[in-house]
Amino acid sequence: MLGANSRSGRNFLQTPGPTPIPERVLAAMNRQIIDHRGPEFQALTHRLLANLRCVFKTKHPVMIFASSGAGAWEACFVNTLSAGDRVLFVETGHFAKGWAATAKAFGLECDVIPTDWRSGVDPDVLEARLRGDVDRKIKAICVVHNETSTGARTSVGEVRAAIDAAQHPALLMVDTVSGLGAMDFRHDEWGVDVSLSGSQKGLMLPPGLSFVCASEKALAAHRSAQLPRHYWSWDKMLTMNADGFFPFTPGTGLLFGLAESLAMLNAEGLDNVFARHERHAEAVRRAVEAWDLEVWCRNPRHYSPAVTAVAVPAGYDADRFRRLVLDYYDVSLAMGLGPLAGKVFRIGHMGHTNDVTIVGAVAAVEMGLDIAGIPFNEGGVTAAMRFLRRPY
Amino acid sequence: MLGANSRSGRNFLQTPGPTPIPERVLAAMNRQIIDHRGPEFQALTHRLLANLRCVFKTKHPVMIFASSGAGAWEACFVNTLSAGDRVLFVETGHFAKGWAATAKAFGLECDVIPTDWRSGVDPDVLEARLRGDVDRKIKAICVVHNETSTGARTSVGEVRAAIDAAQHPALLMVDTVSGLGAMDFRHDEWGVDVSLSGSQKGLMLPPGLSFVCASEKALAAHRSAQLPRHYWSWDKMLTMNADGFFPFTPGTGLLFGLAESLAMLNAEGLDNVFARHERHAEAVRRAVEAWDLEVWCRNPRHYSPAVTAVAVPAGYDADRFRRLVLDYYDVSLAMGLGPLAGKVFRIGHMGHTNDVTIVGAVAAVEMGLDIAGIPFNEGGVTAAMRFLRRPY
Amino acid sequence: MLGANSRSGRNFLQTPGPTPIPERVLAAMNRQIIDHRGPEFQALTHRLLANLRCVFKTKHPVMIFASSGAGAWEACFVNTLSAGDRVLFVETGHFAKGWAATAKAFGLECDVIPTDWRSGVDPDVLEARLRGDVDRKIKAICVVHNETSTGARTSVGEVRAAIDAAQHPALLMVDTVSGLGAMDFRHDEWGVDVSLSGSQKGLMLPPGLSFVCASEKALAAHRSAQLPRHYWSWDKMLTMNADGFFPFTPGTGLLFGLAESLAMLNAEGLDNVFARHERHAEAVRRAVEAWDLEVWCRNPRHYSPAVTAVAVPAGYDADRFRRLVLDYYDVSLAMGLGPLAGKVFRIGHMGHTNDVTIVGAVAAVEMGLDIAGIPFNEGGVTAAMRFLRRPY
Amino acid sequence: MLGANSRSGRNFLQTPGPTPIPERVLAAMNRQIIDHRGPEFQALTHRLLANLRCVFKTKHPVMIFASSGAGAWEACFVNTLSAGDRVLFVETGHFAKGWAATAKAFGLECDVIPTDWRSGVDPDVLEARLRGDVDRKIKAICVVHNETSTGARTSVGEVRAAIDAAQHPALLMVDTVSGLGAMDFRHDEWGVDVSLSGSQKGLMLPPGLSFVCASEKALAAHRSAQLPRHYWSWDKMLTMNADGFFPFTPGTGLLFGLAESLAMLNAEGLDNVFARHERHAEAVRRAVEAWDLEVWCRNPRHYSPAVTAVAVPAGYDADRFRRLVLDYYDVSLAMGLGPLAGKVFRIGHMGHTNDVTIVGAVAAVEMGLDIAGIPFNEGGVTAAMRFLRRPY
């Protein structure tokens, strides 16, 4: 057994972020930094912001922060809310929970709709809760588009319909960190007020950039919000962005890469990108079914096109299994997070990948199950391949 | 005249951040991202944190945030102070002022010692002010090590001596964003409580990482500080770092580069690095003197080894001059900031550079002065070269 | 169906040269060229030549030419022979034939031992032919170590034994273009007089460098050889190499990469590298057997660890099949060459690769057979995986 | 004093080949190799060959060899001549002499018009010699467009006029290795029959590719030429190129870079590229004049726009001087070759460069002269700058 670094061949990075960097993106970042107060940078900013709006499907401003996605969680709240405001979370998993922890840290009152962490948001439950908020104390509703920890997707359109049915005025905030660029997202059509994302998922970049898109309603809330803010301040950002600049030093190197990854998404076509993710997700689930293991997400309508969490049988350690797969085959699977630690492993199938890479990843899992002594039926790879014989 | 992008040859990036990226650093970043929850990453974290401590000259923890330097401004306060706490700033320039604005945004009471923006901190003035604070209301003293906007350096050792002379218990916070890696910095010896820096200056990386180093006293303050925090939280960071991981997704790509830039600093030797910066600063100042222009920093003891601000004669526009130099010679000079806009231009001479690059930059200024019609005496380049004939 | 360029994910380059470039090698080449007459280059040359000798397992000089492997074919002859000299070839396949064509172009008399292009050299046949050369007219015996076109390996040790048994004084010349770095090669122990190789195979580089290693006997022959030569001249090369330089501009960029790829081979250990190739070859053959297709090489002792040629059933077009696999799955297979065109496809499994990449390649073939309508039994990937479950 | 590798900042590569690689070209080469028998490669070949014809200003075929420029010397002869054919050289310097040595190695009869190695070809002398060849025994006339060793350019148009005036039917062969892409070259208009070049000069690539362009007359000669050839064979090349492929493995990595460098030349415009070279050459010569040193090329009409050779005063060692400049300033100057060794140093000013880089290089020379104790007048840099103040 060899450490990943001294091994031959390429690591298969099957985590739901970071995802593999296309070599075109690496090449685009392989250059000197430029002055972020000069004219070349200015043109770059304008181009990036316009192209990002296409990915968010919005006419509203998209902002880019030098931070990881968790920074954008913070940016949502400090720009729109005041201490003591009530925020409603649907705790679909580890990341919904983490986002709520951010809210608490800022003195927001958190209402939480619990779930079994095995599905997306149930719009009926949400609607009932909102109808119950007769005083309209809830100022914001926070949902995670793609819950990376469980492999469950939420229909944001259904969430919007539930809010409308309840005629609730709260802001809708959506974490689409691992959704954007991998599955359809429609900021404007779905009436999202604040959406946030990150660079190292469907946008195929290294981590280090986060994105926030704000509706007019969110921008109005911004003007009266009282939470302290500086680095994440939207008004500073929007004022400077209007001229093609940033209030604080931007992550110029990653911005070069972003220009390229946006060009790649555009060249492939967003609909084709989404169909590709669905295809790979289906192939992986067919393998899981053939192995007679359990896809963690219970609700087929919520299956994530970006990541599949797989439960290991009771008495087996998912983390030991993952280490074996990494040591033997140099395939990086993702761990179970929080209460799922040791109980599930996750296969990322998002970003810059293709059919045969997915087969390789599935094969590593299948061979690893055997080595780890976890009971399973052979045939997962065969099932995946039978599906992937179909043309796109 | 051509846009920088279609020009032949290499841009001379003479800004005091970003600075030129060594090709070794570019090459180190030119690789796939790895799983930031895996064993290879874990080993990288431990190595980086140890090596960063050498650069800060500290035994205390150094933390790495995915953000630009302005994020670290915020991190200092939210981790150590509570709303209403009093903080003393010495406004040596634009960045000291910006840092104070951050403090105000978080509800801190800001005392400001004004200066003429043409020198570093005067320790006598500081001492007097601290002696005057008989109730010890000041909780933190904030100074900028190298004021990038004016080209003036502050002696942090003198600041420490002033605080000690006044027997003041406040925390000492130092912004060494454009100091670290370019001039001597001694976190422990100088009794700094919180120092902060960024990646795109003396550390020769793209922007996108910030660094914070905290003394035991700062860590103690952290435990009782009440300002809201999440992304910047030290306890989360230190807990995770102990195992080689991060609470939020780290900027993995830049961390690969950081490993290489730290190796380069170590190979050259920090003292050699600092001497090199002094040499280039002296060469630039000799040119300015020969041109009969004015070095903006009035106090020779405070001359920055990293950047020199140069005043243009009254009636001339420093920004027009800079644009000409960029258009004609593809040399990026830095603008005057805030009240210095249009009055000064700044020549960065920091990071990965050498004698002949400095001569090229000085030559661009000299030729540009002529083209811009700004009165000057020829001979700046000659003066710089006479100095640079000396061996290191 | 999409062109390879607009597709998502990484191409699987399963050709027996070029082979995938490790990202460490790409990074090593990602730098400015240096003066090939300066001291840094000089040190590089000395290091490279020493390390190359380890790979050839020789104490004799190894020379590096800026050319592809076919240039080294020419270099062998023009440096050791004179017009009209007789050379014996064993035509094991397309590349043996191509090498003989080179000899003919230079006016050498070519004796050819034919084969069925489905095995390596038969040492008994060779020995008989040499015994029959009673006048010792044959000046050189040329064999191909790994016949890339057929997937058959020749035992050079057996060839040497046959020559010795026949007590024949001819030079032994070995083309190990696709052997070196993928399977054991022992220039000195096997008494090879001239061996030649290329960069884009087991050495994991882009094409553009060729290598020649010459025994003392070959160097002696060089001194009296009369064929015209200039670019390929050994004496110029050896004279300049002694000082760390080259007679003509060397391929500096590739040399940076070579230093890195040699370091990688050394780190993994040559024996481990060879065992890895055997492992992957066996996995591929098990798949072929499971499909009920035919491994083109008839003789199991001659199976190549670097490439496997697979016959398609009569009436089917191997090239159409390859195009489908490339279009559907972005996996590059190699074509049949010369008389094998359309009859075989070749799966390269050499260089920088690993188990799961091999599974992915095998899967593309299996899915492609189905799409192409070529009769086969499912189960090739399963067979390969069963084998690859074994630890190294 | 430090070795170049441990130094800070960028090396100034002022050699007349290799020249600095643009980062866009490095980025273009920073990718996996593709199958050189596949459709993506095929499209690349067609595009490259079309764009190369623009640079050669020809409608005739341009061929690309994996070799350094010296290989193309050989390619010219073996494809067009037969042993014993007479070839006329004008020995303008080291490279003309080296090319003649190639011819001799292939058994060609070499007539040589000597020169003082301080100017280009004198067309009157050439015409007289050709008129004297009453039996038309001379089959080819070989001239070097830009004699890299002396800094002297030859007017190929005048050479053509001399040949026409003498009504001589010999083939005109031109080495434009260090001319193409740096100064005007017109294969068709000047009636050149064979022109040859290399990658690491005006085409701004690493070394490793050579180029040959052949007229119809040259192609006709090819059909009857008897010299042995294989690797350099035009018929194989042209046959394969017609389909977008190569007879032997091409230097794929460099071809990626070539596509980018040709795009850059096209974007800047060839005329602008040539004017830029003239500008930098003039700046350098003004510096030499100011130092009261001697430009080696005697004839101002022959001054090379790509490289300037400078004589050091008798009693001083140009090589020691160059080493000092490299050690102190990391500026790579080129050595004197052959009889000029130690007597001249050469300043390359070609390829991807700009005004301030040229000033830096000139400054290194000026400072180095002082350190080396070579008598000179200060003011070279000042003279260069006065010239470079002019707009392009």
Side-chain angles (χ1 to χ4, degrees):
Chain A
M1 266 181 289
L2 298 157
N5 234 355
S6 62
R7 297 191 81 153
S8 174
R10 305 186 285 197
N11 173 261
F12 279 51
L13 183 62
Q14 303 304 139
T15 58
T19 61
I21 315 293
E23 61 177 14
R24 280 178 56 181
V25 171
L26 282 176
M29 296 188 299
N30 183 34
R31 53 170 290 194
Q32 282 298 317
I33 294 305
I34 57 173
D35 180 9
H36 54 271
R37 303 185 199 264
E40 184 184 355
F41 184 85
Q42 195 174 24
L44 174 67
T45 301
H46 288 310
R47 194 165 67 248
L48 287 175
L49 295 180
N51 291 344
L52 275 171
R53 281 195 286 270
C54 298
V55 179
F56 277 95
K57 296 187 177 171
T58 188
K59 291 175 182 169
H60 297 111
V62 178
M63 292 168 270
I64 308 173
F65 291 91
S67 82
S68 45
W73 281 348
E74 197 158 318
C76 291
F77 299 135
V78 299
N79 279 291
T80 58
L81 300 174
S82 303
D85 279 353
R86 184 167 297 271
V87 184
L88 175 64
F89 285 88
V90 186
E91 192 192 291
T92 46
H94 182 79
F95 289 96
K97 189 178 175 184
W99 194 10
T102 308
K104 281 174 208 141
F106 281 85
L108 303 173
E109 296 294 317
C110 290
D111 276 11
V112 176
I113 299 177
T115 80
D116 60 0
W117 282 37
R118 302 188 72 164
S119 58
V121 172
D122 182 328
D124 297 334
V125 174
L126 178 65
E127 183 182 335
R129 181 63 150 271
L130 292 174
R131 287 186 188 278
D133 180 37
V134 289
D135 299 338
R136 302 315 198 209
K137 290 199 168 162
I138 294 169
K139 299 300 180 206
I141 301 154
C142 294
V143 299
V144 172
H145 184 204
N146 183 61
E147 183 44 86
T148 326
S149 64
T150 66
R153 167 172 46 174
T154 281
S155 165
V156 180
E158 291 176 4
V159 167
R160 166 48 61 198
I163 298 170
D164 289 351
Q167 293 183 290
H168 200 289
L171 295 167
L172 173 58
M173 297 185 176
V174 180
D175 167 334
T176 184
V177 169
S178 64
L180 195 80
M183 57 197 77
D184 197 13
F185 186 78
R186 304 176 183 203
H187 184 88
D188 288 2
E189 183 182 327
W190 294 341
V192 182
D193 293 302
V194 187
S195 40
L196 66 99
S197 194
S199 54
Q200 78 276 19
K201 312 271 182 170
L203 295 184
M204 308 180 289
L205 292 167
L209 297 181
S210 68
F211 308 96
V212 173
C213 179
S215 71
E216 285 178 22
K217 192 166 144 190
L219 293 169
H222 176 58
R223 286 187 282 276
S224 59
Q226 297 297 319
L227 279 175
R229 60 177 174 260
H230 195 258
Y231 188 71
W232 313 113
S233 170
W234 290 353
D235 48 4
K236 286 189 215 307
M237 182 66 86
L238 293 173
T239 303
M240 293 295 284
N241 280 181
D243 284 334
F245 299 114
F246 284 74
F248 307 117
T249 309
T252 311
L254 292 170
L255 296 180
F256 294 145
L258 178 61
E260 190 71 16
S261 71
L262 291 174
M264 290 178 72
L265 289 176
N266 186 56
E268 188 175 352
L270 282 179
D271 287 344
N272 293 328
V273 170
F274 302 152
R276 171 164 58 77
H277 281 79
E278 295 287 359
R279 172 183 174 91
H280 292 156
E282 177 68 21
V284 167
R285 287 192 302 264
R286 292 197 180 204
V288 177
E289 186 181 11
W291 292 325
D292 204 19
L293 295 180
E294 192 183 6
V295 172
W296 183 253
C297 177
R298 282 190 206 275
N299 186 340
R301 289 183 53 244
H302 294 178
Y303 284 155
S304 167
V307 56
T308 299
V310 182
V312 294
Y316 294 91
D317 179 357
D319 285 336
R320 176 174 170 270
F321 165 73
R322 285 192 317 106
R323 280 194 300 273
L324 286 173
V325 171
L326 183 61
D327 283 346
Y328 277 80
Y329 298 112
D330 205 9
V331 172
S332 299
L333 301 170
M335 61 172 57
L337 295 169
L340 305 189
K343 294 186 182 166
V344 306
F345 62 89
R346 293 176 295 142
I347 306 171
H349 33 77
M350 75 185 298
H352 187 64
T353 192
N354 58 20
D355 289 2
V356 283
T357 297
I358 294 299
V359 172
V362 168
V365 171
E366 184 161 326
M367 294 188 289
L369 289 169
D370 185 68
I371 293 168
I374 296 176
F376 77 107
N377 293 332
E378 217 180 21
V381 172
T382 301
M385 286 169 61
R386 283 181 186 156
F387 177 73
L388 292 171
R389 281 179 196 169
R390 304 180 186 186
Y392 269 91
Chain B
M1 266 182 289
L2 297 157
N5 233 353
S6 62
R7 296 189 82 150
S8 174
R10 305 186 288 199
N11 172 260
F12 278 50
L13 183 61
Q14 303 302 138
T15 58
T19 62
I21 316 292
E23 63 177 13
R24 280 177 57 180
V25 171
L26 281 177
M29 296 189 298
N30 183 34
R31 53 169 290 195
Q32 282 299 316
I33 293 306
I34 57 173
D35 179 10
H36 54 272
R37 303 184 199 265
E40 184 184 354
F41 185 85
Q42 196 174 23
L44 174 66
T45 301
H46 288 311
R47 193 166 70 248
L48 286 175
L49 295 180
N51 291 345
L52 275 172
R53 281 195 288 270
C54 297
V55 179
F56 276 95
K57 296 189 176 171
T58 188
K59 292 176 182 166
H60 297 109
V62 178
M63 291 167 273
I64 309 173
F65 292 91
S67 83
S68 46
W73 280 350
E74 196 158 318
C76 291
F77 299 135
V78 297
N79 279 289
T80 58
L81 299 173
S82 304
D85 279 354
R86 185 168 296 272
V87 183
L88 176 63
F89 284 87
V90 185
E91 193 191 287
T92 47
H94 182 79
F95 289 97
K97 187 178 177 185
W99 195 10
T102 308
K104 280 174 208 143
F106 281 84
L108 302 174
E109 295 295 318
C110 290
D111 277 11
V112 175
I113 299 178
T115 79
D116 60 359
W117 285 35
R118 302 189 70 165
S119 59
V121 172
D122 182 328
D124 297 334
V125 173
L126 177 65
E127 185 182 334
R129 181 62 151 271
L130 291 174
R131 287 187 188 278
D133 179 36
V134 289
D135 300 336
R136 300 316 197 210
K137 288 199 168 162
I138 293 170
K139 299 301 178 202
I141 301 154
C142 294
V143 301
V144 173
H145 185 203
N146 183 61
E147 185 41 88
T148 326
S149 64
T150 67
R153 168 170 46 176
T154 280
S155 165
V156 180
E158 291 177 4
V159 166
R160 167 47 61 197
I163 298 170
D164 289 350
Q167 293 183 290
H168 201 287
L171 295 167
L172 173 57
M173 298 184 177
V174 179
D175 167 336
T176 183
V177 168
S178 65
L180 195 80
M183 57 198 77
D184 198 13
F185 186 78
R186 306 178 182 202
H187 183 89
D188 289 2
E189 184 182 326
W190 294 339
V192 181
D193 292 301
V194 188
S195 40
L196 67 100
S197 193
S199 53
Q200 78 276 19
K201 312 273 182 168
L203 295 184
M204 308 180 288
L205 292 167
L209 297 180
S210 68
F211 308 97
V212 172
C213 180
S215 72
E216 286 179 21
K217 190 167 148 191
L219 292 170
H222 175 58
R223 286 187 282 276
S224 58
Q226 297 298 318
L227 277 175
R229 60 177 174 260
H230 193 257
Y231 188 72
W232 313 112
S233 170
W234 290 353
D235 48 6
K236 287 189 216 306
M237 182 66 88
L238 293 172
T239 304
M240 293 295 285
N241 280 180
D243 285 333
F245 298 115
F246 284 72
F248 308 116
T249 308
T252 311
L254 292 170
L255 296 180
F256 293 145
L258 178 61
E260 190 70 18
S261 70
L262 292 173
M264 290 178 71
L265 288 176
N266 185 56
E268 187 173 354
L270 282 178
D271 287 345
N272 293 330
V273 170
F274 302 150
R276 172 164 57 79
H277 281 80
E278 294 287 0
R279 172 182 174 92
H280 292 156
E282 178 69 21
V284 168
R285 288 190 303 264
R286 293 197 180 202
V288 176
E289 187 180 11
W291 293 325
D292 203 20
L293 294 182
E294 191 183 7
V295 172
W296 182 254
C297 176
R298 285 190 202 275
N299 187 337
R301 289 183 54 246
H302 293 178
Y303 285 155
S304 167
V307 56
T308 299
V310 181
V312 294
Y316 294 92
D317 178 357
D319 287 334
R320 177 175 169 269
F321 166 72
R322 285 191 317 106
R323 279 194 301 273
L324 286 173
V325 171
L326 183 62
D327 282 345
Y328 277 79
Y329 298 113
D330 205 9
V331 172
S332 299
L333 302 170
M335 61 172 58
L337 294 169
L340 305 189
K343 295 185 182 165
V344 307
F345 62 89
R346 294 175 295 142
I347 306 172
H349 33 77
M350 73 184 302
H352 186 66
T353 191
N354 58 20
D355 289 4
V356 281
T357 297
I358 295 298
V359 172
V362 167
V365 172
E366 184 161 327
M367 295 188 289
L369 289 168
D370 184 69
I371 293 168
I374 296 176
F376 76 107
N377 292 333
E378 217 179 24
V381 172
T382 301
M385 286 170 58
R386 282 181 187 156
F387 177 72
L388 292 171
R389 282 177 195 171
R390 304 181 185 184
Y392 268 89
Chain C
M1 264 181 291
L2 298 157
N5 234 355
S6 61
R7 297 190 81 152
S8 173
R10 304 186 287 199
N11 173 261
F12 278 50
L13 184 59
Q14 304 302 140
T15 57
T19 62
I21 315 293
E23 63 178 13
R24 281 177 55 181
V25 171
L26 282 177
M29 296 188 298
N30 183 32
R31 55 171 288 197
Q32 282 298 318
I33 293 306
I34 57 173
D35 180 9
H36 54 271
R37 305 184 199 264
E40 184 185 354
F41 185 85
Q42 196 174 25
L44 174 67
T45 301
H46 288 311
R47 193 165 71 249
L48 286 175
L49 295 180
N51 290 345
L52 274 172
R53 282 195 287 270
C54 298
V55 179
F56 276 96
K57 297 189 175 172
T58 187
K59 293 177 181 166
H60 297 109
V62 178
M63 292 167 270
I64 308 173
F65 292 91
S67 82
S68 47
W73 281 350
E74 196 158 318
C76 291
F77 299 136
V78 299
N79 278 290
T80 59
L81 299 173
S82 302
D85 278 353
R86 183 168 297 270
V87 184
L88 177 63
F89 284 87
V90 185
E91 192 192 290
T92 46
H94 182 79
F95 289 96
K97 189 178 174 185
W99 196 9
T102 309
K104 279 175 207 140
F106 281 84
L108 301 174
E109 296 293 318
C110 290
D111 277 10
V112 176
I113 298 178
T115 81
D116 60 0
W117 282 37
R118 301 189 69 164
S119 59
V121 171
D122 182 330
D124 297 334
V125 172
L126 177 64
E127 183 181 335
R129 181 64 151 269
L130 292 173
R131 284 187 191 278
D133 180 37
V134 290
D135 300 338
R136 300 318 197 206
K137 289 197 167 162
I138 294 169
K139 298 304 178 201
I141 301 155
C142 294
V143 300
V144 173
H145 184 205
N146 182 62
E147 183 45 83
T148 325
S149 64
T150 67
R153 168 172 46 177
T154 281
S155 165
V156 179
E158 290 177 6
V159 166
R160 167 46 62 197
I163 299 170
D164 288 351
Q167 293 184 290
H168 200 288
L171 296 167
L172 173 57
M173 298 184 175
V174 179
D175 166 334
T176 184
V177 168
S178 65
L180 195 82
M183 58 198 78
D184 197 14
F185 186 77
R186 307 178 180 203
H187 183 89
D188 288 3
E189 183 183 325
W190 293 340
V192 182
D193 293 301
V194 187
S195 39
L196 66 100
S197 194
S199 54
Q200 78 276 20
K201 313 272 183 169
L203 296 183
M204 308 179 289
L205 293 167
L209 297 180
S210 67
F211 308 97
V212 173
C213 179
S215 72
E216 286 179 21
K217 191 166 145 191
L219 293 170
H222 176 59
R223 286 186 282 277
S224 58
Q226 297 298 316
L227 278 176
R229 60 179 174 258
H230 194 258
Y231 188 72
W232 312 111
S233 170
W234 291 352
D235 48 4
K236 286 188 216 306
M237 182 67 86
L238 293 172
T239 303
M240 293 295 284
N241 280 181
D243 285 334
F245 298 114
F246 284 74
F248 308 116
T249 309
T252 310
L254 292 170
L255 296 180
F256 293 145
L258 179 61
E260 190 70 17
S261 70
L262 291 173
M264 291 178 72
L265 289 176
N266 186 55
E268 187 175 353
L270 281 179
D271 287 345
N272 294 330
V273 170
F274 302 151
R276 171 165 56 79
H277 281 80
E278 294 287 359
R279 173 183 174 91
H280 291 156
E282 178 66 23
V284 168
R285 287 191 303 263
R286 291 195 181 204
V288 176
E289 187 180 9
W291 293 325
D292 203 20
L293 294 181
E294 192 182 5
V295 172
W296 182 254
C297 176
R298 283 189 204 276
N299 186 338
R301 291 183 53 246
H302 294 177
Y303 284 155
S304 168
V307 57
T308 299
V310 181
V312 294
Y316 294 91
D317 178 357
D319 285 336
R320 177 176 168 269
F321 165 73
R322 286 191 316 108
R323 280 194 301 272
L324 286 173
V325 171
L326 182 61
D327 283 345
Y328 277 78
Y329 299 111
D330 205 9
V331 172
S332 299
L333 302 170
M335 62 171 58
L337 295 169
L340 305 188
K343 294 184 182 168
V344 306
F345 61 89
R346 293 176 296 142
I347 306 172
H349 32 77
M350 74 184 301
H352 187 64
T353 191
N354 58 21
D355 289 4
V356 283
T357 298
I358 295 298
V359 172
V362 167
V365 171
E366 186 163 324
M367 295 189 288
L369 289 169
D370 184 68
I371 292 168
I374 296 175
F376 77 108
N377 293 332
E378 219 181 20
V381 172
T382 301
M385 286 169 60
R386 283 182 185 155
F387 177 73
L388 292 171
R389 283 179 195 170
R390 305 180 185 185
Y392 269 90
Chain D
M1 265 180 290
L2 298 158
N5 234 355
S6 62
R7 298 189 81 152
S8 174
R10 305 186 286 199
N11 172 261
F12 279 49
L13 183 61
Q14 305 300 141
T15 57
T19 62
I21 315 292
E23 63 176 12
R24 280 177 57 179
V25 171
L26 282 176
M29 295 188 299
N30 183 33
R31 54 169 290 195
Q32 284 297 319
I33 293 305
I34 57 173
D35 180 11
H36 53 272
R37 303 183 199 267
E40 185 185 354
F41 185 85
Q42 195 174 23
L44 175 66
T45 302
H46 287 309
R47 194 167 66 249
L48 287 174
L49 296 180
N51 291 345
L52 274 171
R53 280 194 287 270
C54 298
V55 179
F56 276 96
K57 296 188 177 170
T58 187
K59 293 176 181 167
H60 297 111
V62 178
M63 291 167 272
I64 308 172
F65 292 92
S67 81
S68 45
W73 281 350
E74 197 159 318
C76 292
F77 299 136
V78 298
N79 279 289
T80 58
L81 300 173
S82 304
D85 278 353
R86 184 167 299 269
V87 183
L88 176 63
F89 285 87
V90 184
E91 193 191 289
T92 46
H94 182 78
F95 289 95
K97 188 178 175 186
W99 194 10
T102 308
K104 279 174 207 140
F106 281 83
L108 301 173
E109 297 294 318
C110 291
D111 276 11
V112 176
I113 299 177
T115 80
D116 60 1
W117 285 36
R118 301 188 73 163
S119 60
V121 171
D122 182 328
D124 297 334
V125 173
L126 177 66
E127 183 182 336
R129 182 62 150 271
L130 291 173
R131 287 186 188 280
D133 179 38
V134 289
D135 300 338
R136 300 318 197 207
K137 288 199 169 164
I138 294 170
K139 300 299 180 204
I141 300 155
C142 294
V143 299
V144 172
H145 184 203
N146 182 61
E147 187 37 272
T148 326
S149 64
T150 66
R153 168 170 44 176
T154 281
S155 164
V156 179
E158 291 177 5
V159 166
R160 166 47 62 196
I163 298 171
D164 289 350
Q167 293 184 291
H168 200 288
L171 295 168
L172 172 57
M173 297 185 178
V174 178
D175 168 334
T176 184
V177 168
S178 64
L180 195 79
M183 57 198 77
D184 197 14
F185 187 76
R186 308 178 181 201
H187 183 88
D188 289 1
E189 183 182 328
W190 293 341
V192 182
D193 292 301
V194 188
S195 40
L196 66 101
S197 193
S199 53
Q200 78 276 18
K201 311 272 182 169
L203 295 184
M204 308 180 288
L205 292 167
L209 296 180
S210 67
F211 307 97
V212 173
C213 179
S215 72
E216 284 179 23
K217 190 166 149 191
L219 292 170
H222 176 58
R223 285 187 282 275
S224 59
Q226 297 297 318
L227 278 175
R229 62 179 172 256
H230 194 258
Y231 188 73
W232 312 112
S233 169
W234 291 353
D235 47 6
K236 286 189 215 309
M237 182 66 87
L238 294 173
T239 303
M240 294 295 285
N241 279 180
D243 284 334
F245 298 114
F246 284 73
F248 308 118
T249 309
T252 311
L254 292 170
L255 296 181
F256 293 144
L258 178 60
E260 191 70 17
S261 70
L262 292 173
M264 291 177 71
L265 289 176
N266 186 55
E268 188 174 353
L270 282 178
D271 287 345
N272 293 330
V273 170
F274 303 151
R276 171 165 56 80
H277 282 79
E278 295 286 358
R279 172 181 173 93
H280 292 156
E282 178 68 22
V284 168
R285 287 190 303 263
R286 290 193 182 206
V288 176
E289 187 181 11
W291 293 324
D292 203 20
L293 293 181
E294 189 182 11
V295 172
W296 182 254
C297 176
R298 284 190 203 275
N299 187 337
R301 288 185 54 245
H302 293 177
Y303 284 155
S304 168
V307 55
T308 299
V310 181
V312 295
Y316 294 91
D317 179 358
D319 286 335
R320 177 177 169 270
F321 165 73
R322 284 192 317 108
R323 278 193 303 272
L324 286 172
V325 171
L326 182 61
D327 283 346
Y328 278 79
Y329 299 112
D330 205 10
V331 172
S332 299
L333 302 170
M335 61 172 58
L337 294 168
L340 305 188
K343 294 186 184 167
V344 306
F345 61 89
R346 293 175 295 142
I347 306 171
H349 32 76
M350 73 185 300
H352 187 65
T353 193
N354 57 20
D355 288 4
V356 281
T357 298
I358 294 299
V359 172
V362 167
V365 171
E366 183 161 326
M367 295 188 288
L369 289 168
D370 184 69
I371 293 169
I374 296 176
F376 76 108
N377 293 333
E378 219 180 20
V381 172
T382 301
M385 286 168 59
R386 283 181 185 156
F387 176 72
L388 292 171
R389 282 179 195 170
R390 303 181 186 187
Y392 268 90

